[in-house]
Amino acid sequence: MQTVRGRMAQLLDGAGKLGWVLLRAGVRFVFMFLNNCVAIPSYCLYLLLLQPLRIWDSSAFWHIEGIMFKWLLAMVSSWGWIAGYTVTEWGDDVRPISEEEAMVLVNHQSTGDVCTLMMCLQDKGTVVRKMMWLMDHVFKYTNFGLVSLIHGDFFIRQGKAHRDKQLVYLKDHLEKYYHSRDRKWVVLFPEGGFLRKRRETSQLFAKKHSLPHLSHVTLRRLGATHVILKTLSAQQENGSVGSESGTPNQTGSKRKGLQWVIDVTIAYPKARPMDIQTWIFGYRSPTITHVHYRVYPIKEVPVEAEALTDWLYQRFVEKEELLAHFYDTGLFPHDGTQEAASRQMTLDPVWLCAVQSFAFASGFMWYRVLQYLYCSLF
């Protein structure tokens, strides 16, 4: 009898916990749905109202757009922050170079990688509002797709049938939007897809071509990286890229071009990636995602295809070693010159509340404006 009562108590306790998780997930979903309904239309309507400024002073227009874009990304960050999803940073400190131009290479495990970057780059100066994302074309059809289109991000189609054309489109896109909108960082995922989808194919390719066997990352794809280097940096006679592009920005001053390559490695506890569904519903217990940075001066990066291929292979072999060490020890290794040290990335809750309050106030304001116009016309 006592055993039966004990099992009943466990079942009731489990049902209570499940009910709480479902209730919390439902409340979070409703909040985020409303958040998107007020924030994204408000962003679009503000920019529509500011179109005369875009004609008169393009620099000021994109400055304002960048600020609002950062606020939108802060809202996404707040979804995870509220659920206890935080970030610990390792390796080089990228804040001192946040105002310089850089290409950011990130390993790709799940849809949560983008959310993680949105969070951990919030405190890196003007990076978030001046960055350009390269994402799979599927993201164009998500709730955030319209915002990314306006901001000037690039959506790339995967597959051999599209590869060559997409690289031409990417080059044209960079030439048209990168300098004119005063972009600083270009963020891309060179693996070309999620780890779980590409690992087996990557390992078969590596075995066939006598390349390193990788388990925690996949072999990178060269195309987009090569186009970015060739387009945004000045090539030197020795095959490396230089530090002076000579390309004027929208204010007429000379740009230095790409100065850095930032190699970002994202690691999840127990190798369990966090996807966008987790960020929305918050059903996973509070989790710390670990992000490791390694910075390379652009002069050390070869631009010719063969040399660049070897250089990128080395970077992903290093990522493999970093992730293997992390999954074994829970820590990233030090670089041989100093002890491993981590930095807890923090967000200001007051600022997050202010951004959310502004979004809901803007949504209400635009609703009343559109309601007034509709009643006046009809």
Side-chain angles (χ1 to χ4, degrees):
M1 180 64 76
Q2 290 181 349
T3 302
V4 174
R5 288 178 179 176
R7 289 178 179 175
M8 287 296 295
Q10 289 179 352
L11 287 173
L12 290 173
D13 183 59
K17 290 181 179 179
L18 178 60
W20 168 245
V21 170
L22 293 175
L23 176 62
R24 185 176 62 180
V27 171
R28 284 177 59 86
F29 177 79
V30 170
F31 172 76
M32 291 171 198
F33 177 79
L34 294 175
N35 206 179
N36 278 281
C37 287
V38 298
I40 294 177
S42 294
Y43 166 88
C44 297
L45 289 169
Y46 277 127
L47 294 183
L48 182 63
L49 185 67
L50 290 172
Q51 286 305 304
L53 177 63
R54 182 179 180 179
I55 298 172
W56 180 55
D57 189 345
S58 177
S59 177
F61 174 85
W62 290 113
H63 177 83
I64 296 171
E65 184 277 335
I67 293 174
M68 290 193 291
F69 184 79
K70 180 177 181 177
W71 290 351
L72 287 176
L73 268 58
M75 292 177 199
V76 178
S77 302
S78 70
W79 301 347
W81 189 261
I82 293 171
Y85 304 147
T86 58
V87 173
T88 293
E89 299 179 313
W90 302 75
D92 297 329
D93 186 359
V94 298
R95 284 173 294 184
I97 62 171
S98 62
E99 301 302 317
E100 300 182 23
E101 295 183 35
M103 178 173 63
V104 183
L105 308 176
V106 191
N107 63 312
H108 209 9
Q109 301 177 66
S110 72
T111 50
D113 298 338
V114 175
C115 299
T116 297
L117 288 175
M118 288 180 178
M119 175 182 285
C120 66
L121 296 179
Q122 283 290 327
D123 66 344
K124 308 297 186 296
T126 63
V127 163
V128 173
R129 62 184 179 87
K130 290 189 175 185
M131 66 170 32
M132 178 182 288
W133 296 78
L134 268 65
M135 297 177 287
D136 190 278
H137 78 287
V138 173
F139 284 97
K140 185 189 298 184
Y141 307 105
T142 65
N143 61 318
F144 215 76
L146 180 59
V147 174
S148 292
L149 279 171
I150 295 173
H151 184 69
D153 297 329
F154 183 77
F155 299 94
I156 190 165
R157 294 180 66 90
Q158 305 294 341
K160 294 181 180 180
H162 307 285
R163 190 170 300 162
D164 293 338
K165 287 185 178 180
Q166 290 299 299
L167 296 179
V168 174
Y169 295 154
L170 173 59
K171 183 177 185 299
D172 293 341
H173 186 89
L174 291 170
E175 291 175 344
K176 185 175 181 180
Y177 298 115
Y178 181 82
H179 293 127
S180 65
R181 300 186 182 184
D182 195 26
R183 299 295 175 242
K184 295 293 185 181
W185 285 20
V186 180
V187 182
L188 68 154
F189 301 90
E191 291 167 287
F194 298 141
L195 173 64
R196 68 179 186 276
K197 294 182 178 180
R198 295 204 62 246
R199 178 160 40 201
E200 184 177 352
T201 303
S202 175
Q203 290 174 347
L204 290 174
F205 181 87
K207 183 178 181 179
K208 182 178 179 180
H209 295 85
S210 301
L211 295 170
H213 180 85
L214 305 175
S215 298
H216 304 302
V217 293
T218 65
L219 295 173
R220 85 301 157 275
R221 290 177 176 173
L222 177 67
T225 308
H226 193 209
V227 168
I228 292 170
L229 286 172
K230 294 279 286 185
T231 306
L232 302 181
S233 302
Q235 186 175 356
Q236 303 297 308
E237 293 182 359
N238 61 5
S240 63
V241 290
S243 59
E244 190 71 39
S245 70
T247 305
N249 62 11
Q250 56 189 337
T251 61
S253 60
K254 205 172 188 180
R255 300 178 67 108
K256 293 183 179 181
L258 289 179
Q259 298 290 294
W260 309 94
V261 171
I262 303 174
D263 191 15
V264 178
T265 303
I266 300 176
Y268 298 94
K270 300 180 181 180
R272 292 178 58 211
M274 187 177 298
D275 53 29
I276 187 63
Q277 294 93 326
T278 307
W279 277 68
I280 293 174
F281 295 106
Y283 48 76
R284 186 182 294 188
S285 58
T287 302
I288 300 176
T289 302
H290 297 259
V291 179
H292 183 278
Y293 305 96
R294 183 166 287 170
V295 177
Y296 298 90
I298 198 68
K299 291 183 178 180
E300 296 181 5
V301 182
V303 74
E304 295 304 323
E306 184 175 350
L308 179 60
T309 298
D310 293 339
W311 188 87
L312 285 173
Y313 275 143
Q314 293 173 14
R315 302 292 74 78
F316 275 80
V317 169
E318 290 174 2
K319 282 181 181 290
E320 176 76 13
E321 294 171 352
L322 284 171
L323 289 168
H325 188 280
F326 177 84
Y327 294 139
D328 286 341
T329 66
L331 304 170
F332 278 115
H334 61 79
D335 60 5
T337 61
Q338 59 185 4
E339 293 300 318
S342 61
R343 305 176 296 276
Q344 186 68 35
M345 185 267 162
T346 60
L347 292 174
D348 184 357
V350 176
W351 177 67
L352 291 178
C353 288
V355 170
Q356 291 284 11
S357 299
F358 179 75
F360 281 99
S362 295
F364 178 75
M365 179 198 73
W366 284 113
Y367 170 76
R368 295 303 300 269
V369 168
L370 295 176
Q371 183 185 48
Y372 174 78
L373 291 176
Y374 178 82
C375 294
S376 298
L377 294 174
F378 303 101

